[in-house]
Amino acid sequence: MAGLSNPPATMKIAVIGQSLFGQEVYCHLRKEGHEVVGVFTVPDKDGKADPLGLEAEKDGVPVFKFSRWRAKGQALPEVVAKYQALGAELNVLPFCSQFIPMEIINAPQHGSIIYHPSLLPRHRGASAINWTLIHGDKKGGFSIFWADDGLDTGDLLLQKECEVLPDDTVSTLYNRFLFPEGIKGMVQAVRLIAEGKAPRLPQPEEGATYEGIQKKETAKIDWDQPAEAIHNWIRGNDKVPGAWTEACEPLQKLTFFNSTLNTSGLVPEGDALPIPGAHRPGVVTKAGLILFGNDDKMLLVKNIQLEDGKMILASNFFKGAASSALELTEAELVTAEAVRSAWQRILPNVLEVEDSTDFFKSGAASVDVVRLVEEVKELCDGLELENEDVYMATTFGDFIQLLVRKLRGDDEEGECSIDYVEMAVNKRTLHMPHQLFIGGAFVDAEGAKTFETINPTDGSVICRVSLAQVTDVDKAVAAAKDAFENGRWGKISARDRGRLLYRLADLMEQHQEELATIEALDAGAVYTLALKTHVGMSIQTFRYFAGWCDKIQGSTIPINQARPNRNLTLTRKEPVGVCGIIIPWNYPLMMLSWKTAACLAAGNTVVIKPAQVTPLTALKFAELTLKAGIPKGVVNILPGSGSLVGQRLSDHPDVRKIGFTGSTEVGKHIMKSCAISNVKKVSLELGGKSPLIIFADCDLNKAVQMGMSSVFFNKGENCIAAGRLFVEDSIHDEFVRRVVQEVRKMKVGNPLDRDTDHGPQNHHAHLMKLMEYCQRGVKEGATLVCGGNQIPRPGFFFEPTVFTDVEDHMFIAKEESFGPVMIISRFADGDVDAVLSRANATEFGLASGVFTRDINKALYVSDKLQAGTVFVNTYNKTDVAAPFGGFKQSGFGKDLGEAALNEYLRVKTVTFEY
């Protein structure tokens, strides 16, 4: 039909090869419309078929599994006959370990093409990826060439290159580029051949190299070379065959894996590991095994394989055998049996999988590792599991122990030791961590410094808590930076990150009553309110942002084309790095959650400074991150003073973002420090003096009810509390009468009592501030209708207070109390613009409210109010999906909602020309 382009040419293809790579090439060629007339792969091994053959058999494509193609240098006639009967027009060899005779290579009309994982003519031979790394090549890649009778010497069809990263191994280079791009390259090569556009470019001999197959016996480390060369040798042999040396006394053979030159901040202090021939003995540290080149520079090895084949963390080399085996629960035993069945399916030649059954000695290959990991992740609801874990625990018994530790949230290096403070409260025993949380461990502060945290209900000491010092901040930031740049957190998929945050939310829900009890104990929060708000909304926040993890995306942007070429511009949203979060004392867990959930969802790592007077729920939260499987160093928590810990976070050159909730005065200081230090990104939620305008045409019953809540919710320790109520003159007296009536009904008492409405103020200094605030109000001539005094009982209790006749010039009309103090002013009937002017006559703009039945008035007023949040006929109605933040000197930036993610992301623009 006129106007339609010709369909792409298709061919009859024989695929000769094996492995997942061969399987993917086969599938993509079929999707392109080519007819695969036959697949030639290796014979089954230990009862298991190669993935390429399995896939072709599903499709009904003829599969041949010749153990050999020739004998005594001659092609086997029966093999040639079976091949020729297929009528292939092209042979595609994606990955082939067999020697294919030239009678087969030259038989098709278009010949044969082969994939080779190096930039030919460099690194000819079967261990090309190994030698790319061993030689320290800065560029790697692959070649697709026309097969000839030489060894990787045929004419080139196409090549693609990539950057070789400093810590790349054979696996990472293959998985990142050579595998996915190689599949595309093979398909592209076939397309060029089908279209008659495939080039034949002779390989240059200049720069040509050939290296033999790397074998275990040739992989011994030569120590008389620089650290970078030793690192290249180790990574070039990782995972197969493994670079090894003899070490210790008596000598034993150790094989090294997971090497890095990134040793910034590492100090070679630990147990010496004697290595004959090495420039210096190795040093076993908490980070791993430090090795030295003859240039005295360091490299770090993170994993060691012992002579018996067992893989261990290098940091555990001198720790001896693992602690006693975990005793499995009934549910864990059921999981273990399900995993045993998976092993049995993967290892069909093993009659019965026992604890001593070794995965690899039973015939498993690298493809089986991938299969096992994926099956177990599906069994265990997306548990974070990596191929590395299988190599670390090769026997079934060890693998189950590792798996159960992960399911319980224990670190891979062993269960985290927590020194709990135990206390019987609220018909339960609380288990409260009290130390700093750095790099996945609870540790004492520098110099073992501590402070007392006080129960505001009776003024008693709950416990002593570690008091972070400047050096502790540096350690926490270093841990967060390492977790961001080198740890698992940055390597797992966004969806897996979301699963971890969902799991954390589930654990918070399981511990909801314990967390609410701690909030009541440490912050004076009314227990029933803490269940719903302090903790309940914290759980909702983590669930909400967990759902955002895999939905953070950039965009494509049309730009002017660089004619005759074309351009593609796209944006990427990336995490900023290490974030510092400084939270207040009024909602200790909820404020932590509002900022931390968005921060983690965006992929950052974090150092959190809870308020010094309310550190305990933050430290319990730290414990739950461990149980959820959040990797070490992602979350760090430092109780301490703002002037020390908060200041160092603001000044630290490795912190890239500060999120702060607190006073405007401190916020300004933080903003200045962030600018001077390294121009950190910063978001601030600061002071407020939120106006609530109540018009005469409102639902008065509701206005009284919500007016009470707007002031007295959470004892008035509420950032968006209505700092000043403007009541229309015609209903003013009735409104005040009803409010006072309701105030007198409020029960002030122990926050753990279920019928308590109003608990103690958070701490003693705040109680004193409230008393001074009320005394100033009386002194300036405001009418104290009720309250204004400390309640004569142990603890920090203050009477719910109501002031009327408050004039605009008064101190209490302009400054927030941050306590249970209602400030009421009149405004003339019908004078909407005048009351709006008074409501906006403040440097604060966090929240505001209006009560009216007139929709036009509601819309007009909400439009004119200068605040980040406007409540209409309600108050305090925040939600995890709705952005929250202030205007003017109440700060900038948002918590909650999609907008909060942008506070913890940076946008990168990428432009291509083609």
Side-chain angles (χ1 to χ4, degrees):
M1 184 179 291
L4 292 179
S5 60
N6 294 324
T10 59
M11 290 185 292
K12 294 182 177 180
I13 295 173
V15 177
I16 305 173
Q18 62 206 71
S19 78
L20 287 171
F21 185 77
Q23 178 193 35
E24 287 296 315
V25 171
Y26 159 84
C27 291
H28 281 74
L29 290 176
R30 281 174 55 87
K31 287 180 182 177
E32 286 271 306
H34 300 292
E35 180 185 357
V36 178
V37 295
V39 165
F40 298 83
T41 188
V42 293
D44 295 355
K45 182 179 179 182
D46 296 324
K48 291 183 296 181
D50 184 80
L52 171 58
L54 278 174
E55 192 69 27
E57 286 173 349
K58 289 180 188 175
D59 297 329
V61 173
V63 176
F64 304 89
K65 301 179 181 181
F66 301 134
S67 59
R68 58 179 182 167
W69 291 70
R70 63 180 190 166
K72 297 180 180 180
Q74 300 296 316
L76 296 172
E78 62 274 21
V79 172
V80 174
K82 288 182 178 180
Y83 169 81
Q84 290 177 335
L86 298 173
E89 298 170 326
L90 174 70
N91 290 333
V92 174
L93 285 73
F95 173 75
C96 183
S97 62
Q98 295 178 307
F99 189 91
I100 311 301
M102 292 307 296
E103 290 89 338
I104 304 296
I105 293 294
N106 293 329
Q109 172 189 346
H110 297 290
S112 303
I113 60 170
I114 301 178
Y115 170 89
H116 185 80
S118 79
L119 297 173
L120 292 171
R122 190 162 173 81
H123 306 309
R124 293 168 176 163
S127 296
I129 311 176
N130 303 77
W131 289 103
T132 297
L133 298 171
I134 289 169
H135 283 278
D137 292 359
K138 303 303 181 186
K139 294 289 183 182
F142 63 84
S143 307
I144 297 172
F145 66 95
W146 299 93
D148 65 3
D149 57 358
L151 190 59
D152 303 330
T153 57
D155 292 346
L156 298 173
L157 195 162
L158 67 78
Q159 290 184 309
K160 291 189 178 182
E161 70 173 35
C162 70
E163 180 184 2
V164 178
L165 303 179
D167 288 342
D168 263 332
T169 64
V170 174
S171 296
T172 61
L173 182 56
Y174 182 73
N175 292 333
R176 187 181 77 249
F177 184 83
L178 298 176
F179 180 87
E181 294 303 319
I183 293 165
K184 296 175 188 175
M186 288 298 281
V187 175
Q188 181 184 351
V190 172
R191 189 181 302 139
L192 290 171
I193 295 169
E195 294 171 350
K197 299 177 181 178
R200 290 178 178 265
L201 306 173
Q203 290 190 34
E205 282 307 308
E206 183 180 352
T209 63
Y210 173 82
E211 295 96 358
I213 297 176
Q214 273 300 88
K215 298 179 179 178
K216 193 71 174 181
E217 56 267 26
T218 62
K220 187 175 182 180
I221 299 170
D222 175 10
W223 293 104
D224 190 21
Q225 51 185 337
E228 184 175 359
I230 295 172
H231 164 67
N232 288 336
W233 183 262
I234 294 172
R235 70 186 181 123
N237 287 281
D238 183 343
K239 289 279 188 283
V240 178
W244 61 276
T245 190
E246 292 178 322
C248 299
E249 294 179 4
L251 290 177
Q252 56 178 301
K253 191 174 183 178
L254 303 179
T255 306
F256 296 149
F257 299 97
N258 204 351
S259 170
T260 179
L261 289 173
N262 184 8
T263 57
S264 175
L266 285 182
V267 179
E269 295 178 354
D271 297 319
L273 179 69
I275 303 174
H279 179 66
R280 287 172 56 181
V283 181
V284 176
T285 70
K286 289 182 179 180
L289 171 62
I290 294 177
L291 301 171
F292 299 88
N294 61 10
D295 56 355
D296 215 33
K297 292 184 178 178
M298 299 190 299
L299 63 144
L300 180 71
V301 166
K302 296 183 181 179
N303 299 107
I304 298 175
Q305 188 176 40
L306 306 178
E307 279 187 300
D308 61 4
K310 184 175 182 179
M311 188 86 74
I312 65 168
L313 292 165
S315 57
N316 287 347
F317 184 76
F318 287 116
K319 292 185 179 179
S323 58
S324 57
L326 296 175
E327 184 175 341
L328 273 57
T329 65
E330 288 186 14
E332 289 164 348
L333 287 170
V334 171
T335 300
E337 288 309 306
V339 175
R340 192 189 304 273
S341 297
W343 276 54
Q344 193 75 66
R345 289 191 296 274
I346 296 170
L347 306 172
N349 58 314
V350 176
L351 294 177
E352 185 176 353
V353 174
E354 299 176 341
D355 284 356
S356 59
T357 300
D358 188 285
F359 193 65
F360 298 102
K361 291 178 181 178
S362 300
S366 57
V367 65
D368 299 310
V369 174
V370 177
R371 178 181 169 187
L372 177 62
V373 167
E374 293 307 312
E375 285 203 32
V376 172
K377 285 167 72 173
E378 187 173 353
L379 275 172
C380 299
D381 192 27
L383 175 75
E384 183 188 347
L385 194 69
E386 295 186 350
N387 296 357
E388 187 76 23
D389 294 317
V390 183
Y391 291 105
M392 294 288 288
T394 60
T395 67
F396 180 75
D398 287 346
F399 184 75
I400 290 299
Q401 290 286 308
L402 177 145
L403 188 63
V404 170
R405 288 189 184 279
K406 283 182 171 290
L407 287 168
R408 293 183 182 182
D410 297 343
D411 187 81
E412 66 269 22
E413 295 184 23
E415 187 174 353
C416 176
S417 175
I418 304 177
D419 180 25
Y420 292 111
V421 171
E422 295 188 0
M423 186 175 292
V425 181
N426 199 22
K427 299 180 181 179
R428 66 181 59 251
T429 300
L430 301 178
H431 297 84
M432 299 179 290
H434 63 97
Q435 297 167 290
L436 312 183
F437 185 66
I438 301 175
F442 286 96
V443 295
D444 287 337
E446 181 75 20
K449 292 191 175 181
T450 62
F451 66 95
E452 295 177 343
T453 188
I454 304 298
N455 181 350
T457 301
D458 58 12
S460 64
V461 175
I462 302 170
C463 64
R464 298 198 68 87
V465 176
S466 293
L467 181 68
Q469 305 299 300
V470 169
T471 52
D472 297 312
V473 179
D474 293 344
K475 291 174 186 175
V477 172
K481 184 181 180 184
D482 184 61
F484 181 76
E485 295 179 350
N486 306 310
R488 289 185 178 183
W489 188 243
K491 298 173 185 176
I492 62 175
S493 71
R495 194 157 296 162
D496 286 341
R497 187 164 68 242
R499 287 195 186 103
L500 288 175
L501 296 185
Y502 275 124
R503 189 176 301 135
L504 176 57
D506 290 344
L507 282 164
M508 291 170 72
E509 188 169 55
Q510 291 170 26
H511 290 262
Q512 186 166 2
E513 293 181 350
E514 183 179 19
L515 288 165
T517 302
I518 296 173
E519 288 283 70
L521 190 69
D522 199 27
V526 172
Y527 175 73
T528 51
L529 177 65
L531 276 175
K532 179 181 181 295
T533 303
H534 292 64
V535 183
M537 194 173 186
S538 299
I539 296 165
Q540 292 174 24
T541 303
F542 272 97
R543 287 205 173 117
Y544 174 80
F545 283 107
W548 267 111
C549 287
D550 61 355
K551 300 170 189 68
I552 298 170
Q553 54 196 6
S555 58
T556 56
I557 303 170
I559 66 170
N560 289 336
Q561 307 292 342
R563 294 181 293 179
N565 292 343
R566 297 180 66 80
N567 294 100
L568 169 67
T569 293
L570 56 88
T571 60
R572 296 181 56 187
K573 292 185 178 180
E574 301 177 340
V576 296
V578 178
C579 300
I581 289 178
I582 304 170
I583 55 176
W585 43 258
N586 57 326
Y587 295 104
L589 185 64
M590 192 172 80
M591 292 294 99
L592 177 153
S593 300
W594 280 21
K595 296 184 188 298
T596 304
C599 175
L600 296 180
N604 301 285
T605 57
V606 65
V607 180
I608 301 168
K609 193 206 89 64
Q612 186 171 347
V613 291
T614 54
L616 295 182
T617 44
L619 293 173
K620 189 66 183 181
F621 169 82
E623 178 193 345
L624 298 182
T625 67
L626 283 179
K627 292 182 181 295
I630 306 290
K632 295 185 307 178
V634 173
V635 174
N636 305 270
I637 296 182
L638 301 177
S641 72
S643 59
L644 208 64
V645 177
Q647 185 64 55
R648 179 55 181 158
L649 283 173
S650 302
D651 291 337
H652 203 293
D654 290 332
V655 175
R656 292 296 170 187
K657 160 70 198 275
I658 290 289
F660 171 75
T661 295
S663 71
T664 298
E665 180 185 3
V666 174
K668 289 178 178 179
H669 183 77
I670 286 174
M671 192 173 175
K672 182 178 179 181
S673 297
C674 289
I676 292 172
S677 58
N678 59 349
V679 195
K680 289 176 181 64
K681 192 171 185 176
V682 62
S683 55
L684 305 171
E685 192 235 291
L686 308 176
K689 186 67 175 175
S690 301
L692 174 57
I693 304 173
I694 301 174
F695 289 99
D697 61 358
C698 71
D699 177 339
L700 188 57
N701 288 332
K702 186 174 184 181
V704 170
Q705 175 196 353
M706 300 308 297
M708 291 281 294
S709 174
S710 75
V711 174
F712 301 119
F713 188 83
N714 197 46
K715 311 165 292 176
E717 296 168 353
N718 186 19
C719 49
I720 58 172
R724 191 174 181 192
L725 278 66
F726 294 92
V727 182
E728 199 160 7
D729 192 64
S730 58
I731 62 166
H732 174 275
D733 292 348
E734 178 61 16
F735 179 85
V736 171
R737 186 188 70 78
R738 293 193 189 188
V739 163
V740 172
Q741 190 177 49
E742 292 301 314
V743 166
R744 300 196 192 285
K745 295 178 185 176
M746 293 173 65
K747 179 187 175 183
V748 180
N750 188 328
L752 290 171
D753 291 344
R754 301 308 191 259
D755 59 347
T756 292
D757 299 306
H758 192 89
Q761 304 310 135
N762 188 276
H763 51 280
H764 184 263
H766 183 52
L767 174 67
M768 295 297 103
K769 178 185 171 185
L770 288 174
M771 292 176 65
E772 292 173 8
Y773 184 91
C774 291
Q775 288 166 5
R776 188 161 180 178
V778 171
K779 186 176 180 181
E780 289 186 341
T783 301
L784 179 63
V785 179
C786 63
N789 296 299
Q790 180 180 1
I791 298 175
R793 57 175 290 174
F796 312 137
F797 291 88
F798 190 78
E799 295 174 334
T801 300
V802 177
F803 276 101
T804 60
D805 302 321
V806 179
E807 298 178 10
D808 294 353
H809 68 276
M810 294 180 179
F811 176 81
I812 62 172
K814 295 184 290 185
E815 299 296 329
E816 70 174 331
S817 67
F818 212 66
V821 182
M822 182 178 284
I823 307 295
I824 303 176
S825 298
R826 297 174 181 265
F827 70 94
D829 289 343
D831 202 346
V832 176
D833 288 326
V835 74
L836 275 170
S837 177
R838 295 171 69 192
N840 287 328
T842 172
E843 274 300 301
F844 300 113
L846 189 57
S848 59
V850 56
F851 277 83
T852 176
R853 286 193 173 99
D854 185 338
I855 186 62
N856 294 316
K857 188 186 295 180
L859 288 170
Y860 178 78
V861 171
S862 65
D863 183 51
K864 295 296 183 180
L865 283 169
Q866 299 169 6
T869 296
V870 180
F871 298 109
V872 179
N873 294 329
T874 188
Y875 208 88
N876 287 324
K877 182 55 181 171
T878 55
D879 188 89
V880 294
F884 177 91
F887 294 170
K888 299 188 285 190
Q889 290 196 45
S890 287
F892 53 85
K894 296 295 181 182
D895 291 325
L896 304 179
E898 181 183 2
L901 291 168
N902 295 323
E903 305 298 331
Y904 299 94
L905 293 166
R906 61 187 183 190
V907 178
K908 177 183 288 182
T909 302
V910 182
T911 297
F912 298 85
E913 189 164 316
Y914 57 96

